[in-house]
């Protein structure tokens, strides 16, 4: 084969392969899509998005393109997507009461919602939502109907909670309370109990978290050590934040040892984040400065997001309150370091800009504000408005 033809054939092959990767979304009208679903005896997967929705774009780029996701969704559903602010999307948004983006609807050929979910999620979470939608025993419409008819056994209630959690958080918490009331210690130590604990435990003080932390080793039969460690850290972090807000210093520092004394870098980083929050709320600027100076040279030296978060906790507004003013110079150092590490992240530039505004550092701040405004074009309209507000504030200085 001639070199030109070989290159052309290779390009064509790669192009076709690229087109086949990921979820294949149809471009037919809504009525045609429903008709296709009826003909193929499938549900429609409808991606409700907008052009400005950052989580929508993230899902497109990081989840929809994965092979295991594509294989499942392309095999199980007729896939389509509509911009909820254009064309037929406007009516679909009204018809299905779409309030947030992304919203994911699984709809039968009659146009009835079988399952509803949404938000940014991991690939495994998104895959599980598809599995629930495709399972007549676990889809939201199915379990809601059986709940209305009076079914209340624990395995069923857990499935109902999981089906409901992403679409109606308030209603799902009521189901969680029902599960907690039914669960006994003998049930909590079973595989069913582990399923409840990993989904419903919130802190070391609630029923699920308390049992788990007292019997962690018993769950090694049901999951990995990494999962157990992750849940332990989440529960203890939640509890420690409670001590922070209550001003319970003795309990806070005793619990902090789980993180600060650990050999794990991730836990040491979490220890800094927790202690910084405590010191800030207590108004202990000198201790806060010493802690974060050490962290910038140590466990947080390459952690732009965490450094920016610490700075943002001091001042994300144009004026810091009186209690935060002693912390502002250190917040400036943290935010500036974060910008050096990750200059292309909107939140990092924006945080630095707001802190510079509080300190009246116009030259540095205006540069950060303009950079943040440019980066905001890839974010939501609300974020774009906030970014422009920051630029306007500097122009008025």
């Amino acid at each position: 084969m001639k070199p030109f033809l070989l290159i052309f054939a290779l390009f064509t092959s790669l192009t076709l392969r690229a087109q086949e990767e990921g979820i294949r979304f149809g471009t037919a009208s809504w009525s045609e899509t429903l008709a296709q679903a009826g003909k193929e005896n499938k549900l429609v997967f409808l991606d409700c998005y907008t052009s400005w929705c950052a989580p929508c774009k993230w899902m497109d780029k990081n989840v929809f393109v994965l092979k295991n996701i594509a294989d499942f969704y392309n095999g199980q559903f007729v896939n389509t997507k509509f911009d909820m602010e254009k064309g037929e999307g406007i009516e679909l948004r009204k018809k299905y009461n779409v309030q947030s983006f992304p919203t994911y609807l699984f709809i039968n050929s009659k146009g009835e919602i079988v399952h509803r979910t949404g938000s940014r999620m991991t690939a495994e979470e998104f895959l599980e939502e598809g599995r629930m939608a495709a399972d007549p025993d676990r889809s939201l419409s199915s379990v809601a109907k059986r709940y209305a008819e009076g079914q209340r056994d624990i395995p069923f209630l857990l499935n109902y909670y999981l089906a409901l959690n992403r679409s109606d958080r308030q209603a799902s918490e009521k189901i969680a309370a029902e599960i907690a009331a039914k669960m006994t210690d003998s049930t909590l130590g079973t595989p069913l109990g582990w399923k409840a604990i990993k989904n419903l435990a919130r802190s070391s003080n609630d029923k699920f978290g308390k049992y788990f932390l007292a019997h962690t080793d018993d769950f090694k039969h049901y999951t990995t050590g990494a999962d157990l460690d992750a849940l332990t850290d989440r529960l203890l972090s939640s509890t420690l934040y409670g001590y922070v807000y209550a001003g319970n210093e003795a309990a806070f520092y005793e619990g902090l040892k789980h993180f600060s004394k650990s050999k794990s870098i991730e836990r040491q980083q979490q220890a800094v984040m927790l202690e910084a929050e405590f010191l800030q709320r207590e108004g202990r600027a000198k201790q806060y400065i010493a802690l974060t100076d050490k962290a910038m040279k140590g466990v947080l030296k390459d952690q732009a997001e965490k450094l920016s978060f610490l700075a943002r906790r001091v001042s994300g507004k144009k004026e810091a309150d009186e209690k935060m003013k002693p912390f502002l110079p250190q917040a400036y150092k943290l935010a500036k370091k974060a910008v050096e590490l990750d200059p292309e992240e909107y939140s990092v530039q924006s945080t630095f800009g707001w802190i510079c505004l509080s300190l009246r550092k116009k030259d540095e701040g205006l540069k950060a504000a303009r950079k943040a405004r440019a980066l905001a074009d890839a974010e939501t309209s609300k974020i774009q408005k906030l970014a422009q507000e920051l630029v306007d504030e500097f122009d008025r200085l």
Side-chain angles (χ1 to χ4, degrees):
M1 184 180 291
K2 294 182 179 180
F4 172 79
L5 294 176
L6 180 61
I7 293 172
F8 178 78
L10 179 60
F11 174 79
T12 302
S13 174
L14 291 173
T15 301
L16 290 173
R17 182 179 177 183
Q19 290 172 345
E20 291 173 359
E21 289 178 349
I23 297 176
R24 294 191 296 271
F25 289 99
T27 57
S29 69
W30 181 240
S31 61
E32 291 170 336
T33 300
L34 291 178
Q36 182 184 350
K39 183 178 179 181
E40 297 181 15
N41 194 28
K42 292 181 178 180
L43 295 176
V44 173
F45 165 58
L46 170 59
D47 174 15
C48 304
Y49 74 98
T50 65
S51 60
W52 47 261
C53 167
C56 302
K57 295 174 182 177
W58 189 92
M59 292 292 289
D60 276 341
K61 182 179 179 181
N62 296 285
V63 177
F64 293 176
V65 296
L66 298 177
K67 186 179 186 303
N68 62 329
I69 297 295
D71 287 347
F72 184 82
Y73 274 72
N74 292 337
Q76 289 287 331
F77 310 116
V78 174
N79 304 300
T80 190
K81 55 168 50 188
F82 283 88
D83 187 329
M84 295 288 104
E85 295 181 336
K86 297 178 181 179
E88 280 192 280
I90 296 172
E91 289 303 314
L92 290 173
R93 180 178 182 178
K94 294 177 183 176
K95 178 180 177 67
Y96 295 116
N97 191 29
V98 177
Q99 300 292 331
S100 60
F101 309 102
T103 288
Y104 303 124
L105 302 178
F106 299 84
I107 298 170
N108 64 25
S109 60
K110 297 178 182 179
E112 301 164 337
I113 296 177
V114 171
H115 190 72
R116 185 185 195 110
T117 186
S119 82
R120 170 174 161 169
M121 59 185 92
T122 66
E124 183 53 40
E125 289 169 337
F126 184 67
L127 187 59
E128 180 59 17
E129 291 291 342
R131 290 172 181 149
M132 280 194 284
D135 186 343
D137 291 328
R138 294 199 299 149
S139 66
L140 181 54
S141 62
S142 172
V143 291
K145 181 176 183 294
R146 287 153 57 196
Y147 183 83
E149 292 170 349
Q151 187 168 350
R152 293 295 188 276
D153 59 277
I154 295 174
F156 165 77
L157 288 174
L158 270 170
N159 284 338
Y160 190 20
Y161 171 85
L162 293 171
L164 192 62
N165 189 40
R166 291 184 184 277
S167 61
D168 191 335
R169 187 62 59 85
Q170 185 175 1
S172 70
E173 287 305 312
K174 291 180 180 179
I175 303 301
E178 287 191 51
I179 297 170
K182 288 177 174 288
M183 279 277 187
T184 63
D185 282 1
S186 60
T187 309
L188 284 168
T190 66
L192 178 63
W194 168 242
K195 182 178 179 181
I197 286 168
K198 71 178 181 179
N199 287 291
L200 301 178
R202 300 288 184 267
S203 78
S204 62
N205 297 319
D206 65 39
K207 180 174 185 175
F208 300 105
K210 189 178 296 184
Y211 185 91
F212 170 75
L213 291 174
H215 303 86
T216 302
D217 287 346
D218 296 347
F219 294 97
K220 290 180 179 178
H221 305 293
Y222 308 137
T223 188
T224 66
D227 283 347
L228 296 177
D229 286 346
L231 180 55
T232 298
D233 290 354
R234 177 166 64 81
L235 295 176
L236 292 179
S237 288
S238 177
T239 301
L240 286 172
Y241 275 116
Y243 294 149
V244 168
Y245 302 139
N248 190 338
E249 182 170 358
F252 173 78
Y253 276 104
E254 181 61 31
L256 189 67
K257 292 176 183 177
H258 170 80
F259 297 97
S260 61
K261 302 297 184 183
S262 174
K263 294 181 180 179
S264 163
I265 295 298
E266 290 76 15
R267 283 178 172 168
Q268 291 173 29
Q269 291 171 349
Q270 181 66 356
V272 172
M273 304 301 286
L274 287 160
E275 188 172 9
E277 183 75 14
F278 178 79
L279 294 173
Q280 180 186 320
R281 289 185 67 87
E282 292 295 309
R284 302 180 188 178
K286 288 184 179 179
Q287 290 173 262
Y288 178 93
I289 292 168
L291 173 73
T292 51
D293 272 344
K294 182 179 178 181
M296 274 194 287
K297 298 175 183 177
V299 295
L300 298 186
K301 64 182 179 181
D302 57 355
Q303 299 293 309
E305 182 180 352
K306 288 181 169 62
L307 293 172
S308 184
F309 177 83
L310 290 173
R312 192 156 55 250
R313 293 293 292 160
V314 172
S315 176
K317 302 176 183 178
K318 63 182 178 181
E319 296 293 343
D321 60 39
E322 289 299 318
K323 187 177 179 180
M324 290 299 103
K325 284 186 177 179
F327 294 84
L328 270 177
Q330 187 68 2
Y332 168 80
K333 287 175 62 177
L334 293 165
K336 186 171 184 177
K337 178 66 174 177
V339 166
E340 292 171 1
L341 291 169
D342 193 359
E344 298 303 314
E345 172 57 43
Y346 162 77
S347 64
V348 168
Q349 290 285 359
S350 176
T351 296
F352 185 52
W354 283 112
I355 289 173
C356 285
L357 184 65
S358 294
L359 293 170
R360 297 298 188 264
K361 293 180 177 288
K362 184 172 183 177
D363 291 342
E364 285 182 288
L366 184 56
K367 180 180 178 182
R370 287 173 175 166
K371 179 68 173 180
R373 180 62 190 88
L375 292 169
D377 285 338
E379 306 291 340
T380 68
S381 56
K382 180 180 180 180
I383 288 177
Q384 292 167 16
K385 182 178 179 181
L386 289 172
Q388 186 58 51
E389 179 186 340
L390 178 58
V391 174
D392 295 341
E393 289 289 344
F394 276 107
D395 287 340
R396 284 191 283 270
L397 277 184

